[in-house]
Amino acid sequence: MPPPSDIVKVAIEWPGANAQLIEMDQKRPLSSIIREVCDGWSLSGSEQFALRYADGPQLYITEQSRGDIKNGTILRLAISPARAARQLLERIQSHGIDARLEALKELAKLSADPTFAAEFINMEGIGTLARLVESGTHFGEMLAFTLTAFLELMDHGIVSWDLISLSFIKQIAGYVNQPMVDVSILQRSLAILESMVLNSHSLYHRVAQEITVGQLIGHLQVSNQEIQTYAIALINALFLKAPEDRRQEMASSLAQKHLRSIILNHVIRGNRPIKAEMAHQLYVLQVLTFNLLEERMMTKMDPNDQAQRDIIFELRRIAFDGENDPTGTEKRKAMYTKDYKMLGFTNHVNPAMDFTQTPPGMLALDNMLYLAKVHQDTYIRIVLENSSREDKHECPFGRFGELRKQLCILCLPHGCNDYHPMFFTHDRAWEEFFCVCIQLLNKTWKEMRATAEDFNKVMQVVREQITRALAMKPSSIDQLKTKLRGLNYSEILRLRQSERMSQDDFQSPPIIELRERIQPEILELIKQQRLNRLCEGSCFRKLGNRRRQEKFWFCRLSLNHKVLHYGDLDESPQGEVPFELLSDKIPVSDIKSVVTGKDCPHMKEKSALKQNKEVLELAFSVLYDPDETLNFVAPNKYEYCIWTDGLCALLGREMGSDLTRSDLDTLISMEMKLRLLDLENITIPEAPPPVPKEPSSYNFTYNYS
């Protein structure tokens, strides 16, 4: 009969004593259990003790967290959090340097525990640590552990960051601004400043007065990626919390100080792989930069604003009047209308109306002007190419704002590490990206021989081309161009066809129905194959015998599936071993269960602790009446799966090895192909390529945590 669910079997340790093995009743108060444990070791004052985990973070166990204790957990009796906090506070304030250092080391470790942290904070412990930092008398290891403990305690959110004094901020900022400071102190100082900025509006202004962008950029040019990561994190925090009117100013300051090129050369193109936290911070910086475009993206064009209308005039002038045509502005209105029609604007009379939709709003017009001015030859070539085509095959340049809208959707990062290196390779990388995509749209338009009615279809193909190219994470704009050249319209059609066929094989309703129908008989076929292999038998090495002293034993199932026969061998057999040579046997009816890995008796022995992981993964045991075991170590993963699956099938239990699932998928696929040849009236629908759903909002967002 299984033990009640409220009973947990645990081991409890105490230094210098034998561990107590107890059955912890989760319905009993924790204080009662601790009192009983203390009595077992003749310890008085049980209220001064608590239980902690012996492994991992070694957190204290409370009434709220005790439900996480599992069977077999090793616990440790320790002094209570309140007592530990009081002792550490006294030792930190002692005059002995060695005693104070050891206390700070222990405090830095214990501060991650929320139960201890609450007790230490209630004793004004954070104020004590802050005064140690403000005094400026701590250096090296002692200061590093002080800052670590302070940050861990504050991260629990028990007290507000607004209580931090200005002198503390100045001291921490001083460590960041010093040219030569210990790495561990610098890391913790940057992390503390970041937390201040993110958690307090008032502290943001104080930190912004003490820390300059130039000083943080200097930390990006070191070889330590941890320091680089903390520096970018602080830049992101300052950027994020800056008032709206200061973000553009800060962005200009960052551009002037060549932040982008420093990140590119010292971080992205450094000699070290990008770690997950660094990738996340680069993602955050990329999104914050994109957010600066949001205002223009959500701004509608005002048809009565002359400055905005001048941008459209400039697009027309560059395309049709050349650089120095003094008569350009004096053309008749009818001529303007003709030019706007050739440029592909929907509203020929007042093209400003084409930019009243948000997104992309004015941002689309800004990008078109960038193309016309910076890549003038490309702009004029695109316009002239379309001017020379038949009317129905013109590619409407004026509607390229729709491309900008699609790019806003596509380049929303989808994961916390999904940054694009190419956006750090150019000061106007976003505009350059738009220009590349405009050329792609024009090229794909020609390849599809599209007409004006096909605009949305072409946009769908272009969107797919860009999506696939971005998924390859090009490292520069030039590499993006190379990726896009390999994704022409013909290649997109080929990829669609290939993926559709693959998708149909597994996702079409008739195929899903057929798979479900034949899976039980295929699974039964695998069970029979496993049992047949057990009847043939296998040779196993005796655990503990190696090299010349190596010995073997053989095991096989009787043909009627009722008895397991086994026996020792002097050497590995070359074929099947007759039942007559196997002297021992176990009736299948006596088998109680099959266990694997660390649950096997021969893996729990002291000698087995020296076995490597591979042996542990190949071990399994048969438990049979009365209390006997037959222990195996399979020669390879294949034999392990054959025997564990076969024994489970023999006992009428579900098989679960990876090999079974692989066999099952393979056999079902083969069987389906054969049966599809004979089945009638099964129609596999030809689904169109999926069109990603556009989000209701185009604001760039990110997950900072």
Side-chain angles (χ1 to χ4, degrees):
M1 183 176 178
S5 58
D6 294 325
I7 301 298
V8 182
K9 296 181 178 181
V10 299
I12 302 180
E13 299 177 339
W14 175 254
N18 294 326
Q20 295 187 37
L21 303 178
I22 69 168
E23 292 186 352
M24 180 184 289
D25 187 349
Q26 295 287 44
K27 292 182 179 179
R28 288 178 60 194
L30 200 56
S31 57
S32 173
I33 296 173
I34 294 173
R35 187 183 310 114
E36 184 179 298
V37 171
C38 289
D39 290 344
W41 283 312
S42 302
L43 298 174
S44 59
S46 62
E47 66 279 357
Q48 297 292 318
F49 293 92
L51 292 177
R52 293 171 59 186
Y53 288 99
D55 301 319
Q58 300 182 8
L59 300 177
Y60 278 101
I61 295 169
T62 64
E63 291 289 354
Q64 293 73 31
S65 65
R66 63 186 295 181
D68 297 330
I69 302 174
K70 306 297 181 185
N71 274 320
T73 302
I74 301 176
L75 305 179
R76 179 176 297 159
L77 187 67
I79 60 174
S80 67
R83 184 179 173 188
R86 192 179 308 108
Q87 289 180 358
L88 283 175
L89 199 56
E90 292 172 356
R91 289 164 59 192
I92 289 170
Q93 295 172 318
S94 68
H95 298 290
I97 295 178
D98 292 339
R100 193 183 306 174
L101 177 60
E102 289 303 315
L104 287 170
K105 282 183 181 180
E106 190 173 346
L107 176 63
K109 181 179 179 181
L110 280 175
S111 295
D113 189 306
T115 308
F116 170 84
E119 296 290 348
F120 190 81
I121 290 171
N122 287 338
M123 297 176 185
E124 303 296 329
I126 285 184
T128 301
L129 295 179
R131 287 190 291 273
L132 290 177
V133 174
E134 292 169 9
S135 68
T137 57
H138 283 55
F139 304 97
E141 266 192 316
M142 191 172 292
L143 177 58
F145 287 120
T146 303
L147 296 178
T148 300
F150 178 86
L151 185 59
E152 291 282 1
L153 292 167
M154 292 300 296
D155 279 348
H156 291 293
I158 299 174
V159 295
S160 172
W161 282 89
D162 289 321
L163 300 176
I164 303 302
S165 67
L166 181 59
S167 60
F168 182 86
I169 296 173
K170 287 181 176 292
Q171 192 68 35
I172 297 296
Y175 299 137
V176 174
N177 295 334
Q178 286 179 17
M180 297 294 292
V181 68
D182 185 81
V183 169
S184 58
I185 295 174
L186 179 57
Q187 285 180 351
R188 289 154 179 78
S189 299
L190 289 168
I192 289 172
L193 292 174
E194 180 197 3
S195 293
M196 287 181 184
V197 172
L198 292 177
N199 290 286
S200 171
H201 180 71
S202 61
L203 291 185
Y204 157 75
H205 294 285
R206 295 181 180 178
V207 173
Q209 292 173 355
E210 300 293 332
I211 299 294
T212 66
V213 171
Q215 289 160 336
L216 293 178
I217 288 178
H219 293 309
L220 296 176
Q221 301 179 57
V222 300
S223 58
N224 188 317
Q225 190 172 123
E226 296 296 325
I227 296 296
Q228 293 175 327
T229 303
Y230 282 112
I232 293 181
L234 182 52
I235 290 174
N236 287 336
L238 291 168
F239 209 129
L240 180 68
K241 293 297 181 177
E244 291 292 338
D245 56 342
R246 286 210 57 200
R247 288 189 183 177
Q248 288 288 352
E249 178 185 337
M250 186 175 177
S252 300
S253 174
L254 293 175
Q256 292 171 2
K257 296 179 181 300
H258 310 295
L259 173 66
R260 177 199 59 78
S261 60
I262 290 173
I263 291 176
L264 179 66
N265 295 324
H266 293 274
V267 179
I268 296 177
R269 292 180 178 173
N271 296 324
R272 304 167 305 282
I274 300 294
K275 296 181 180 178
E277 181 59 28
M278 173 61 83
H280 172 67
Q281 295 301 334
L282 291 174
Y283 153 82
V284 173
L285 182 59
Q286 174 184 302
V287 173
L288 290 172
T289 305
F290 287 169
N291 278 346
L292 298 176
L293 307 173
E294 183 181 350
E295 182 180 354
R296 294 292 283 176
M297 184 174 69
M298 303 307 294
T299 300
K300 295 182 179 181
M301 184 171 185
D302 181 1
N304 299 318
D305 188 319
Q306 186 59 43
Q308 296 180 3
R309 291 168 61 88
D310 287 344
I311 299 177
I312 296 179
F313 294 155
E314 185 70 3
L315 289 174
R316 190 208 60 78
R317 184 193 67 77
I318 295 174
F320 299 111
D321 290 346
E323 289 290 337
N324 300 305
D325 187 352
T327 64
T329 57
E330 300 175 2
K331 284 191 175 183
R332 297 188 307 274
K333 185 176 181 179
M335 292 297 295
Y336 282 160
T337 300
K338 179 182 177 183
D339 290 346
Y340 293 144
K341 181 179 179 181
M342 293 178 65
L343 282 173
F345 290 109
T346 304
N347 192 318
H348 307 152
V349 178
N350 187 5
M353 300 302 296
D354 283 22
F355 300 94
T356 55
Q357 181 185 3
T358 57
M362 285 298 295
L363 189 57
L365 194 58
D366 294 343
N367 290 157
M368 290 180 183
L369 184 63
Y370 180 87
L371 172 68
K373 286 189 170 183
V374 178
H375 300 281
Q376 191 172 120
D377 292 343
T378 299
Y379 169 69
I380 294 174
R381 176 175 56 78
I382 291 174
V383 173
L384 293 180
E385 276 184 6
N386 287 288
S387 301
S388 62
R389 293 176 187 160
E390 299 177 33
D391 288 347
K392 66 176 184 177
H393 287 296
E394 288 182 2
C395 181
F397 178 79
R399 290 186 65 186
F400 281 7
E402 176 67 21
L403 175 63
R404 180 63 184 83
K405 174 182 175 181
Q406 296 298 323
L407 297 184
C408 292
I409 300 169
L410 281 175
C411 289
L412 283 169
H414 299 294
C416 63
N417 297 330
D418 194 12
Y419 79 100
H420 293 288
M422 70 176 184
F423 287 115
F424 292 92
T425 62
H426 197 285
D427 288 330
R428 303 292 296 274
W430 185 254
E431 288 81 357
E432 288 293 319
F433 175 53
F434 180 74
C435 293
V436 170
C437 294
I438 281 182
Q439 297 177 66
L440 173 67
L441 175 56
N442 188 60
K443 175 174 173 288
T444 303
W445 186 278
K446 288 189 292 184
E447 292 173 350
M448 295 179 66
R449 298 186 57 80
T451 63
E453 291 77 15
D454 299 323
F455 184 82
N456 290 333
K457 294 180 181 178
V458 177
M459 282 302 306
Q460 188 180 21
V461 174
V462 170
R463 178 176 178 143
E464 185 173 346
Q465 290 171 311
I466 297 169
T467 301
R468 291 180 182 275
L470 288 177
M472 301 178 195
K473 289 295 182 72
S475 59
S476 65
I477 297 294
D478 289 337
Q479 194 175 102
L480 173 68
K481 294 178 183 178
T482 303
K483 302 292 185 187
L484 290 173
R485 277 196 293 270
L487 290 170
N488 55 34
Y489 179 53
S490 299
E491 178 64 12
I492 292 295
L493 289 180
R494 187 192 69 78
L495 291 171
R496 281 182 175 181
Q497 180 67 19
S498 173
E499 291 170 2
R500 187 179 299 133
M501 290 180 65
S502 174
Q503 183 182 25
D504 288 342
D505 280 348
F506 296 99
Q507 301 301 327
S508 296
I511 301 300
I512 294 175
E513 181 182 350
L514 179 58
R515 182 185 181 89
E516 292 175 351
R517 191 189 310 168
I518 66 176
Q519 180 165 333
E521 74 178 75
I522 296 295
L523 189 57
E524 184 61 32
L525 177 64
I526 293 175
K527 288 182 179 180
Q528 291 302 320
Q529 184 265 350
R530 296 292 194 263
L531 291 173
N532 290 340
R533 279 287 290 108
L534 262 61
C535 291
E536 295 174 8
S538 298
C539 179
F540 300 93
R541 180 175 62 83
K542 280 204 167 186
L543 195 64
N545 292 292
R546 301 178 181 176
R547 298 176 184 163
R548 295 180 182 177
Q549 291 78 32
E550 192 167 46
K551 292 186 178 181
F552 303 90
W553 66 286
F554 196 88
C555 186
R556 62 181 297 191
L557 178 66
S558 64
L559 299 180
N560 61 5
H561 299 175
K562 291 186 177 181
V563 179
L564 274 179
H565 296 265
Y566 65 97
D568 293 342
L569 300 174
D570 292 332
E571 58 184 19
S572 178
Q574 298 301 315
E576 192 174 289
V577 177
F579 290 107
E580 295 77 14
L581 298 180
L582 304 176
S583 57
D584 300 308
K585 61 183 179 180
I586 303 171
V588 171
S589 59
D590 288 348
I591 297 178
K592 295 188 293 187
S593 64
V594 177
V595 295
T596 61
K598 61 182 180 181
D599 295 327
C600 297
H602 59 310
M603 291 294 108
K604 294 180 179 179
E605 299 171 1
K606 292 183 178 180
S607 59
L609 296 176
K610 300 179 181 179
Q611 300 293 333
N612 56 32
K613 183 181 178 182
E614 182 181 354
V615 172
L616 191 65
E617 291 176 348
L618 297 177
F620 62 98
S621 298
V622 172
L623 310 184
Y624 62 97
D625 287 333
D627 288 311
E628 302 292 334
T629 63
L630 185 61
N631 299 319
F632 299 74
V633 174
N636 51 55
K637 189 67 174 176
Y638 178 78
E639 287 291 329
Y640 171 84
C641 294
I642 289 289
W643 275 84
T644 53
D645 281 350
L647 290 169
C648 287
L650 197 62
L651 299 177
R653 299 172 185 174
E654 183 181 355
M655 300 184 299
S657 73
D658 295 337
L659 188 60
T660 298
R661 300 303 165 205
S662 176
D663 289 351
L664 183 62
D665 289 339
T666 302
L667 286 171
I668 288 178
S669 298
M670 292 173 60
E671 184 72 10
M672 282 197 302
K673 291 176 182 177
L674 292 173
R675 294 199 181 191
L676 282 174
L677 297 175
D678 297 328
L679 290 176
E680 296 180 356
N681 301 322
I682 289 185
T683 303
I684 299 176
E686 183 174 290
V691 179
K693 183 179 179 181
E694 297 181 5
S696 57
S697 171
Y698 297 91
N699 295 342
F700 295 102
T701 58
Y702 69 95
N703 175 14
Y704 200 93
S705 63

